[in-house]
Amino acid sequence: MKPDRRTCLLLCAGLFAAILGVKAFLIHRYGSDLPFWDQWAREGEMTIAPAREGTLRWTDLLAPHSEHRIVPTLALNLALEQWSGQWDARVECLVNAGLHTALMVLLTAYVFRVYSPRAALGVAWIQLALSAAALDWENTLSGFQSCFYFLIGFSLVALWGLLGPRGAGSPRWWVGLLAGGCAALSLGSGLLCFGAAAGVVAVRGWVRPGQRWRSAVTVLACVAALLACWLTRGIAPWDDAVKAKSLGDFGAYLMHCLAWPAPGWAAVAACAWLPWLILAARWGWSALSSTRFLMRQGQANLRQELLLAAGLWVLLQIAAVSHYRGAGGGYPAVRYADIFFVGVLVNFLAWYEWWSALSPTRWASARVPALLLWLSLLTVGAVTASVPAWRGTFPSMAGRSRVYEQNVTLYLQTGDVAQIEPPHQVPFPLVDWFKRMLDRPSLRAVLPVSVRPGVAESLASAWARRAAAGGEVLAAAGLLMVLGASALTCRRSE
């Protein structure tokens, strides 16, 4: 192997182990094997129970869940239940953690190959820092949240494919189109990848005469796919109460999202997204003034187009959530953190593009202070947001899960509905509905061992419990590997 390839493998392996270890630690200390909230109705009653009773149809997976279709999530969790024989949320959480970690490692490998080892090193350490802060803890501790990972993965593949230089004449383009359809089936906002791709490709076709027909085909395909997904979207009138009621609500929520990981510091939003805005302005100015800048850069320009499309996709996601969840102009829910995470990586790579484009002497004195200021804002914001979670939110969640397990266990043993009625806490808001699900034999037969003490633990559940318990060791080993890859990269750069 070439030295760079060995370094890349060491970096990716260490990053995978470190991030997965952190997530496993969270799942072990603060998670539970008991399903939570929406899982009971959409996953348990409407998917797992019919599958065990032999009445599930494949079209049932396509049924909307509020405004969303979450086909990959339902298919994955159903497969895990069928394979293990138990409906164990801890198994789901660990598999989801592996899925998300693999996605981040693939992004790092892409940066290593297309940008440079030093850029990949920066991306890796940012990912490690934000993973340690656990700002996306809601997705880590819920087995039902893999929809965000599928959304991000399929959307990025769609952008990569649809922005291919050969257009519809290459398999890459068709892979991108298929991935875009999968993104639309992963979450309601999945269709926005077509909008981001169409916007960048339209500018490309405008400034490159030789690319106009290819670009026109891509734009038309994206518009058609976007329209088809929009017309077949799920409708949820009961969610109207959480939509933004005014432009002020929308703007306040938008600023809080842009300022992540410090949503309370709305003034930071402009600085957090300044790198991508600079890149977009330079790219747009070049498109307006002359085509020669865009024509002569080749692979570097394609790299910039993908970066611009990824940033535009994140901004479209933020705009969508600001409209559909922006009532009162409050702060974004924790579950959207993984989308914002992509925005942080996009802006870091935009810094790298800006850094590389400057001459050795021009603005040389401003490069390091600007980058350090940007990283400092991210660090302070992440620490400010994560400390209350580690001190209060996580312990309270662990205690709440134990209460849930105790109350459900007592009901299953005694049949006394008072055990799941207020003031008793249970992991589903509607008591009558929850009782009906617990009384359903096909669903009761697969409940996890935390609420059925006398039942033997499945092999998958036992594996998940032991693997989660080893999260600290895995994280430490991964950190050492990343440090080794960092030392090799720095020594080779010198």
Side-chain angles (χ1 to χ4, degrees), residues 322-360:
S322 298
H323 170 67
Y324 284 99
R325 296 294 183 269
Y331 297 104
V334 176
R335 59 182 173 270
Y336 304 120
D338 288 310
I339 295 175
F340 306 151
F341 196 167
V342 177
V344 171
L345 298 181
V346 165
N347 277 276
F348 174 77
L349 292 177
W351 269 120
Y352 184 85
E353 291 283 359
W354 176 67
W355 191 300
S356 303
L358 294 178
S359 65

Side-chain angles (χ1 to χ4, degrees), residues 15 32 118 252 275 300 338 362 407 410 413 476:
L15 186 64
S32 172
R118 296 181 70 178
D338 288 310
R362 187 185 182 189
N407 292 336
L410 289 174
Q413 291 176 343

Side-chain angles (χ1 to χ4, degrees), residues 21 102 174 286 335 399 463:
W174 292 97
S286 301
R335 59 182 173 270
W463 166 83

Side-chain angles (χ1 to χ4, degrees), residues 12 15-17 19-24 26-27 76 92-108 127-128 130-132 134-142 145-153 156 260 313 334-342 345:
C12 291
L15 186 64
F16 184 87
I19 295 178
L20 184 59
V22 172
K23 289 178 175 289
L26 282 172
I27 294 167
L76 173 63
E92 296 174 350
C93 288
L94 274 176
V95 171
N96 295 347
L99 180 68
H100 187 216
T101 305
L103 175 61
M104 291 192 285
V105 168
L106 287 175
L107 283 173
T108 305
Q127 289 178 338
L128 279 175
L130 291 179
S131 297
L135 301 179
D136 60 342
W137 56 264
E138 185 176 349
N139 294 343
T140 301
L141 297 177
S142 174
Q145 299 299 97
S146 62
C147 50
F148 285 95
Y149 307 147
F150 285 115
L151 168 72
I152 295 170
L156 294 180
W260 192 90
W313 174 80
V334 176
R335 59 182 173 270
Y336 304 120
D338 288 310
I339 295 175
F340 306 151
F341 196 167
V342 177
L345 298 181

